[in-house]
Amino acid sequence: IGVLTSLLISFFTLLNPGLPNDDAYAYIRTAEIALSDGVDAAIQYYSWAGYSLLIAFVSKTGTDLLTAAQLINAFFLSLLVYSFISIVNCFNNSKSVSILATICILLYPPLNELRSDIIRDIAMWALSLFALWQFLLFVRSSHLPNFIGFCFSIILASFFRAEALVYLFSLPMGFLFDGRYSWPIR
């Protein structure tokens, strides 16, 4: 329900667009360059072009670049909502807490203020939260697919912002300080 509500809010934002934010112009211009001159030219124009390349790729479905960026943000915002609720459920899996988590994330003002902005941060936050959820599942169950999901999500997040790579190394290093496990397991 939280994911569907997030998508509905994003759809409403898409139907009532405002003026693009300042960063949107750089991302859209880089996407234009990627479409007309190729990936190398786009990277030369804007060195961290992952978000713009994704915008260019999605625009090939027949949408304009601005709409493609809004669709990407809608997807990542819904992933962020899903990940947040899943993280909360790792600590308390009751229905009432899940409902409260859903309401909190959907009504969180800074997140809703950014819904109409074209920024790569949303993708990095969503993928980082998804990675954190996978890491918590790994800590709980020691299943390798969860750790691979963590690594893969953080690596994807780093295509949007380099800071995501800090989590790739810092979260697993946290095991060294976790007193719940014996030293050989740490």
Side-chain angles (χ1 to χ4, degrees):
I1 291 173
V3 169
L4 292 176
T5 305
S6 177
L7 288 171
L8 185 64
I9 295 168
S10 294
F11 181 70
F12 179 74
T13 303
L14 187 67
L15 291 177
N16 299 305
L19 289 174
N21 55 304
D22 293 340
D23 293 347
Y25 295 105
Y27 299 131
I28 298 300
R29 178 65 185 133
T30 306
E32 288 172 345
I33 292 170
L35 290 171
S36 64
D37 300 332
V39 173
D40 290 337
I43 292 171
Q44 268 188 324
Y45 180 78
Y46 191 82
S47 60
W48 217 262
Y51 185 56
S52 297
L53 295 174
L54 186 57
I55 293 170
F57 177 75
V58 171
S59 76
K60 289 185 176 188
T61 62
T63 64
D64 63 279
L65 293 170
L66 204 54
T67 302
Q70 292 284 353
L71 291 172
I72 291 165
N73 280 359
F75 168 77
F76 281 118
L77 282 164
S78 65
L79 179 64
L80 189 144
V81 167
Y82 177 80
S83 300
F84 178 80
I85 295 167
S86 298
I87 289 169
V88 170
N89 285 338
C90 282
F91 298 102
N92 187 334
N93 200 13
S94 73
K95 187 175 183 176
S96 59
V97 171
S98 294
I99 291 169
L100 183 61
T102 302
I103 291 169
C104 285
I105 194 67
L106 289 174
L107 295 179
Y108 186 60
L111 194 61
N112 286 317
E113 290 170 6
L114 295 175
R115 272 194 194 271
S116 61
D117 287 352
I118 307 300
I119 55 172
R120 61 191 171 145
D121 300 43
I122 294 169
M124 193 275 288
W125 297 332
L127 289 165
S128 295
L129 274 183
F130 185 82
L132 179 59
W133 173 54
Q134 289 297 303
F135 188 75
L136 289 171
L137 292 176
F138 172 73
V139 168
R140 179 184 294 166
S141 65
S142 298
H143 287 116
L144 185 59
N146 294 124
F147 190 72
I148 292 170
F150 160 73
C151 293
F152 184 69
S153 296
I154 285 295
I155 290 168
L156 281 178
S158 72
F159 285 112
F160 298 98
R161 293 199 63 95
E163 299 89 80
L165 289 175
V166 171
Y167 298 119
L168 183 61
F169 301 104
S170 63
L171 279 175
M173 293 299 285
F175 270 127
L176 293 175
F177 305 103
D178 193 343
R180 296 178 294 173
Y181 303 104
S182 66
W183 183 249
I185 290 175
R186 289 189 240 171

